[in-house]
């Protein structure tokens, strides 16, 4: 998960006031449009929201998707010539599931609800609670509530995360024993700061910057890491748009969580990934063999970028749906 120069989708913590007579879309409008329902879990003074694909009969299988790095909403609305339209910020994976499944997505802290796409800024609650332990708690409690309230005789609980979502999914699978299958997609395998440094060395080898400049950048990253560990709970926002509390919570290399798991793991990476170095991804199968573990399936999308897009004859082809279908098929054969 390369976050050297992240492109943040920023959004407001409250919807704009209506300027026209037509009502502003609500979260209920969004849920109705995409046929989702809303659930919630109250944990002390904290209310955790989740969105679940609607169902006619209680399903037996659950798929949970964990988003990547950026503070994106789940639903938003926009206005054009006086007409409102509602959008979702997640893909079509849920449409590929049959009636035996339901699909859940848990918004990041401060990002539940629907937002005006034209008035965007990062909510304070997001900055305060955007760290690994909180995200794991959010999703863990949501999964438990869904199992209790919405599933009939649960057969399969599938969790897959992409980019930062993968690095959350790994410790989540250690905590929640109901999870039966894990998708670790394009998450950093080693410590973030090491992988940031690695990208600089790769750029040097490719002739995109000199060795001396790469070294200078790497030493700056090491100084940055040092400042984080000296003040690990600092919630001031840094030049990257995140907090020390967020960075320090991801300090442990995800491979350490993965090696402790015994459930089937589907790891997927891309060779042209601009955010996660493919070079460290190959450490996964090596380490699993070294530890005599055989619960890892390791696949790579040749020529694909971070979003699993591949250029063929000058045209970008989206392979994400294929990856998801392969992943779902894999869960049917791995126990």
């Amino acid at each position: 998960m390369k976050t050297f120069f992240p492109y943040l989708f920023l959004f407001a913590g409250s919807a704009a006031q209506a300027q026209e007579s037509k009502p502003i879309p609500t979260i209920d409008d969004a849920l109705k449009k995409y046929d989702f329902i809303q659930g919630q879990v109250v944990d002390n003074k904290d209310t955790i929201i989740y969105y679940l694909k609607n169902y006619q009969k209680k399903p037996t299988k659950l798929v949970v998707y964990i988003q990547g790095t950026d503070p994106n909403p789940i639903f938003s609305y926009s206005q054009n010539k006086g007409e409102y339209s509602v959008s979702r910020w997640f893909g079509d994976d849920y449409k590929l599931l049959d009636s035996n499944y339901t699909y859940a997505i848990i918004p990041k802290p401060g990002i539940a609800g629907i937002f005006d796409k034209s008035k965007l800024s990062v909510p304070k609650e997001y900055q305060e609670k955007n760290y690994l332990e909180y995200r794991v708690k959010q999703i863990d409690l949501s999964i438990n509530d869904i199992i209790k309230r919405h599933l009939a005789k649960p057969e399969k609980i599938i969790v897959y995360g992409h980019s930062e979502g993968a690095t959350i999914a790994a410790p989540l699978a250690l905590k929640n024993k109901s999870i039966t299958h894990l998708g670790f997609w394009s998450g950093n395998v080693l410590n973030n700061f090491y992988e940031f440094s690695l990208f600089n060395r790769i750029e040097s080898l490719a002739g995109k910057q000199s060795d001396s400049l790469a070294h200078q950048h790497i030493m700056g990253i090491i100084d940055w890491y040092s400042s984080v560990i000296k003040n690990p709970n600092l919630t001031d926002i840094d030049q990257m748009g995140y907090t020390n509390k967020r960075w320090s919570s991801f300090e442990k290399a995800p491979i350490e969580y993965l090696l402790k798991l015994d459930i089937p793991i589907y790891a997927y990476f891309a060779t042209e990934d601009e955010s996660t170095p493919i070079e460290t991804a190959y450490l996964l199968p090596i380490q699993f063999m070294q530890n005599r573990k055989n619960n890892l399936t390791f696949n790579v999308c040749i020529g694909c970028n971070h979003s699993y897009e591949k250029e063929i004859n000058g045209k970008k082809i989206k392979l994400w749906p294929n990856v998801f279908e392969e992943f779902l098929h894999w869960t049917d054969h791995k126990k």
Side-chain angles (χ1 to χ4, degrees):
M1 180 204 60
K2 183 179 180 183
T3 52
F4 248 156
F5 303 101
Y7 178 75
L8 298 181
F9 294 88
L10 306 179
F11 56 94
S14 60
Q17 296 297 314
Q19 300 299 318
E20 293 81 16
S21 58
K22 291 185 179 180
I24 292 174
T26 66
I27 184 60
D28 289 335
D29 294 323
L31 295 173
K32 182 178 179 181
K33 176 177 179 178
Y34 296 110
D35 198 24
F36 272 67
I37 58 176
Q38 177 177 300
Q40 69 177 41
V41 183
V42 178
D43 180 53
N44 294 323
K45 296 182 180 180
D46 192 17
T47 299
I48 296 166
I49 301 295
Y50 61 80
Y51 300 119
L52 188 70
K53 182 71 179 70
N54 202 359
Y55 53 84
Q56 298 299 317
K57 180 182 177 182
K58 281 189 175 182
T60 59
K61 303 171 185 177
L62 169 67
V63 177
V64 178
Y65 173 57
I66 307 177
Q67 297 167 290
T69 310
D70 296 330
N72 297 332
I74 306 299
F75 301 106
S76 66
Y77 65 87
S78 57
Q79 185 182 168
N80 183 28
K81 297 180 180 178
E83 295 292 329
Y84 286 108
S85 61
V86 173
S87 303
R88 55 179 164 85
W89 291 59
F90 56 97
D92 291 337
D93 296 351
Y94 72 96
K95 295 181 179 180
L96 302 174
L97 302 173
D98 63 33
S99 61
N100 294 308
Y101 286 89
T102 187
Y103 184 93
I105 186 166
I106 295 88
K108 294 183 178 184
I111 310 181
I114 187 168
F115 297 87
D116 183 347
K117 199 173 180 180
S118 69
K119 299 179 182 293
L120 305 177
S121 65
V122 179
K124 182 179 179 182
E125 184 181 354
Y126 171 84
Q127 300 293 6
E128 292 175 344
K129 296 180 178 178
N130 181 39
Y131 57 93
L132 180 63
E133 293 81 5
Y134 185 81
R135 294 288 285 130
V136 167
K137 182 188 81 166
Q138 267 191 307
I139 304 166
D140 174 56
L141 291 175
S142 297
I143 290 173
N144 292 339
D145 195 68
I146 293 168
I147 291 172
K148 179 181 177 181
R149 299 177 185 276
H150 299 285
L151 298 190
K153 297 180 180 179
E155 296 177 9
K156 191 187 296 186
I157 309 297
I158 303 167
V159 171
Y160 72 116
H162 177 254
S163 194
E164 180 188 275
T167 65
I168 294 169
L172 172 68
L174 276 176
K175 181 177 179 61
N176 192 302
K177 303 305 179 184
S178 297
I179 296 172
T180 58
H181 298 80
L182 175 66
F184 187 89
W185 293 11
S186 295
N188 55 288
V189 173
L190 300 178
N191 178 289
N192 269 312
F193 295 96
Y194 172 76
E195 295 204 347
F196 295 160
S197 301
L198 178 61
F199 268 117
N200 274 275
R201 291 305 310 154
I202 292 169
E203 290 185 358
S204 176
L205 290 170
K208 295 181 179 179
Q209 64 176 337
S210 67
D211 278 345
S212 60
L213 185 58
H215 177 70
Q216 181 180 334
H217 287 163
I218 292 168
M219 294 310 296
I221 291 168
I222 291 172
D223 288 341
W224 174 24
Y225 183 30
S226 175
S227 71
V228 167
I229 62 177
K230 286 177 183 176
N231 298 284
N233 294 312
L234 196 67
T235 56
D236 294 346
I237 301 169
D238 64 17
Q239 70 275 15
M240 305 301 298
Y242 298 102
T243 67
N244 280 12
K245 189 166 186 177
R246 186 262 179 206
W247 289 116
S248 63
S249 72
F250 286 95
E251 185 175 18
K252 187 174 180 178
I255 192 171
E256 295 183 43
Y257 298 112
L258 294 171
L259 285 168
K260 293 178 181 178
L261 292 169
D262 294 319
I263 62 171
I265 301 167
Y266 188 92
Y268 201 82
F269 295 88
T271 59
E272 300 299 322
D273 196 327
E274 69 284 4
S275 298
T276 301
I278 186 65
E279 289 79 4
T280 58
Y282 292 107
L283 186 60
L284 273 178
I286 299 295
Q287 285 281 283
F288 269 74
M289 285 188 285
Q290 184 178 331
N291 285 271
R292 305 301 188 265
K293 294 179 71 71
N294 59 5
N295 58 318
L296 176 74
T297 299
F298 180 82
N299 284 328
V300 172
C301 188
I302 306 298
C304 295
N305 65 13
H306 191 56
S307 300
Y308 309 144
E309 295 173 329
K310 184 175 184 177
E311 189 168 314
I312 300 176
N313 296 325
K315 183 179 180 182
K316 275 191 175 181
I317 307 298
K318 296 181 179 180
L319 297 179
W320 183 293
N322 305 70
V323 177
F324 181 74
E325 285 190 294
E326 290 171 9
F327 170 58
L328 201 63
H329 181 72
W330 167 86
T331 66
D332 290 331
H333 299 277
K334 292 290 182 178
K335 296 181 180 180

